[in-house]
Amino acid sequence: MSNLDKLPLRDDLKGRRPYGAPQLEVPIALNVNENTHRIPRAVIEDIFSRIAHATLQLNRYPDREFIKLREAFATYLGHGLTAEQIWAANGSNEILQQIVQAFGGRGRLALGFGPTYSMYSIIASGFETAYLDAPRLDRYELTPEHIRQQILEHKPNIVLLCSPNNPTGTPLSLDSVEAAYEAVSEATGGIVVVDEAYAEFAPANTPSAITLLPGRERLMVSRTMSKAFAFAGARVGYLAADASVVDALRLVRLPYHLSALTQAAAEGALAHAASMLATVDDIRVQRDRLVAELASMGLDPYRSEANFVLFAGLQDSAATWQSLLDRGILVRNVGIPGTLRVTAGTESETSQFLSSLREVLAG
Ligand SMILES: *Cc1c(COP(=O)(O)O)cnc(C)c1O
């Protein structure tokens, strides 16, 4: 990076590092938890035609309230949600940013349970919000009692719960979400954000925190089209919450933040939700296969309900990461000693990862 010391940068940003998962051209990229399957041809054609249609009107600003898209998300999510309870933005990262902008700020504290999604602290620092990673229990698990105790101790204004957790894959029970909401209500009257970026990969019939929304107006659930929906490049995240939360986010969003092209693409993808999500079952199978085969190699995979697996037991994770890259396979070193994280790809990608890792470990 260039020398930032020459710039009159905000003091609290000096010395900080941007989000930086390596973006490399490789045959097999299993590093940022994308859905590695291609979008079905019929869906691509429908999206093309919707974007072509939107292009005719690009001289005009898009619908600032993107009502059609919010209605489509409400229908997709079900649970009796209406468009007033839905918000969307350019990735769920932007949703999280708008939440911290509206509910954080100087003198306020955001609390996550680390290791967790690295963007939480980066987004908090962007709005002069203090950020604390509270510890997790053995094998990165959380219990309602532990969550309650940490919240009562640190008194955060914003609690960020990643469910399932990135980078560990650990699921989170609804009891834990309820405990967080009760504790933060007692401690500060703050908010609880449940980041369900990987919710679609959980076992069938796993309830979403969306079921807890009625009567909890300071609870918000964020989702994304970047993972299960195979739509990371389109940059679409969304939120379900009380309608008053959506009104709060309107105070900080930039006008027309969702382009007409983004709205058209997202509407197209949602109109084909079932076929966009058809690969999820196969990805779950590959994830469970990763856990089983990594364990059979003598490694130590953590339980995962997401589309990736964190595994420990490596002597030198940086060296293993490089050896895999030399074989054309990119995984993620999240900085936890002795571990790497790998995305569950197609069956063939998963097989190539596993056989390359066997070669690397054999020396
Ligand atoms: C990938 C990911 C997101 C999604 O980011 P987008 O901005 O929607 O692409 C959000 N939260 C977590 C924990 C993630 O891993």
Side-chain angles (χ1 to χ4, degrees):
M1 242 169 64
S2 56
N3 185 4
L4 296 181
D5 295 344
K6 289 183 293 195
L7 295 175
L9 189 64
R10 252 167 52 193
D11 284 338
D12 60 304
L13 291 182
K14 286 180 183 157
R16 290 200 176 260
R17 297 183 154 267
Y19 175 86
Q23 279 198 302
L24 305 172
E25 281 288 329
V26 288
I28 301 185
L30 302 174
N31 63 326
V32 285
N33 304 338
E34 296 147 332
N35 182 335
T36 65
H37 297 74
R38 298 227 175 237
I39 298 176
R41 189 73 227 169
V43 184
I44 290 178
E45 278 165 15
D46 188 21
I47 291 173
F48 274 175
S49 80
R50 288 169 188 260
I51 287 181
H53 188 75
T55 305
L56 298 173
Q57 298 249 23
L58 284 184
N59 58 314
R60 300 290 183 184
Y61 281 114
D63 175 5
R64 199 169 53 213
E65 305 298 338
F66 44 98
I67 290 295
K68 261 180 73 186
L69 179 59
R70 285 160 67 198
E71 281 169 353
F73 275 125
T75 304
Y76 166 68
L77 287 174
H79 298 290
L81 290 166
T82 61
E84 297 74 54
Q85 295 169 278
I86 302 290
W87 191 241
N90 297 284
S92 55
N93 281 325
E94 190 179 39
I95 299 262
L96 296 170
Q97 186 178 51
Q98 291 176 349
I99 289 172
V100 173
Q101 204 176 356
F103 296 98
R106 197 173 297 173
R108 293 196 172 181
L109 173 69
L111 180 107
F113 289 84
T116 189
Y117 188 40
S118 62
M119 282 307 299
Y120 298 159
S121 64
I122 294 175
I123 289 170
S125 72
F127 295 102
E128 300 186 81
T129 306
Y131 178 83
L132 181 76
D133 257 341
R136 286 175 174 262
L137 301 169
D138 188 38
R139 298 196 69 80
Y140 306 123
E141 299 287 334
L142 291 175
T143 60
E145 299 71 32
H146 176 74
I147 288 173
R148 175 177 175 79
Q149 181 263 319
Q150 290 293 317
I151 290 173
L152 293 181
E153 178 178 338
H154 297 293
K155 302 186 171 40
N157 307 92
I158 299 174
V159 177
L160 295 158
L161 299 174
C162 193
S163 172
N165 185 50
N166 181 8
T168 62
T170 322
L172 184 76
S173 71
L174 288 194
D175 289 350
S176 291
V177 177
E178 285 186 89
Y181 191 84
E182 271 177 33
V184 83
S185 301
E186 274 174 57
T188 61
I191 65 167
V192 173
V193 183
V194 185
D195 180 350
E196 291 192 347
Y198 300 98
E200 293 90 345
F201 298 106
N205 302 319
T206 302
S208 161
I210 290 172
T211 59
L212 298 178
L213 287 176
R216 292 185 181 83
E217 66 281 357
R218 289 169 289 105
L219 178 65
M220 27 208 106
V221 182
S222 76
R223 292 277 189 104
T224 182
M225 298 186 93
S226 297
K227 308 290 161 57
F229 253 96
F231 221 44
R235 309 304 301 126
V236 185
Y238 53 104
L239 172 97
D242 192 78
S244 62
V245 170
V246 171
D247 286 336
L249 299 185
R250 272 201 190 87
L251 299 174
V252 297
R253 64 91 186 274
L254 297 174
Y256 319 107
H257 68 291
L258 270 191
S259 86
L261 303 178
T262 304
Q263 292 183 41
E267 285 164 22
L270 273 176
H272 301 271
S275 65
M276 291 294 276
L277 293 170
T279 55
V280 165
D281 284 343
D282 189 53
I283 293 166
R284 285 196 197 108
V285 169
Q286 299 311 316
R287 172 201 61 209
D288 295 342
R289 179 180 163 217
L290 280 170
V291 170
E293 297 208 21
L294 289 165
S296 78
M297 284 181 219
L299 296 166
D300 182 16
Y302 292 89
R303 80 170 175 136
S304 171
E305 290 194 355
N307 67 337
F308 57 84
V309 176
L310 180 78
F311 58 98
L314 298 169
Q315 303 263 330
D316 180 346
S317 42
T320 307
W321 182 88
Q322 185 61 53
S323 300
L324 288 168
L325 184 58
D326 295 343
R327 288 166 172 76
I329 298 171
L330 181 60
V331 298
R332 189 79 186 276
N333 181 354
V334 296
I336 304 172
T339 74
L340 289 173
R341 190 193 70 191
V342 59
T343 306
T346 62
E347 180 175 9
S348 139
E349 288 169 330
T350 305
S351 298
Q352 289 179 73
F353 161 75
L354 286 166
S355 61
S356 296
L357 182 61
R358 274 197 194 91
E359 273 174 40
V360 169
L361 293 179

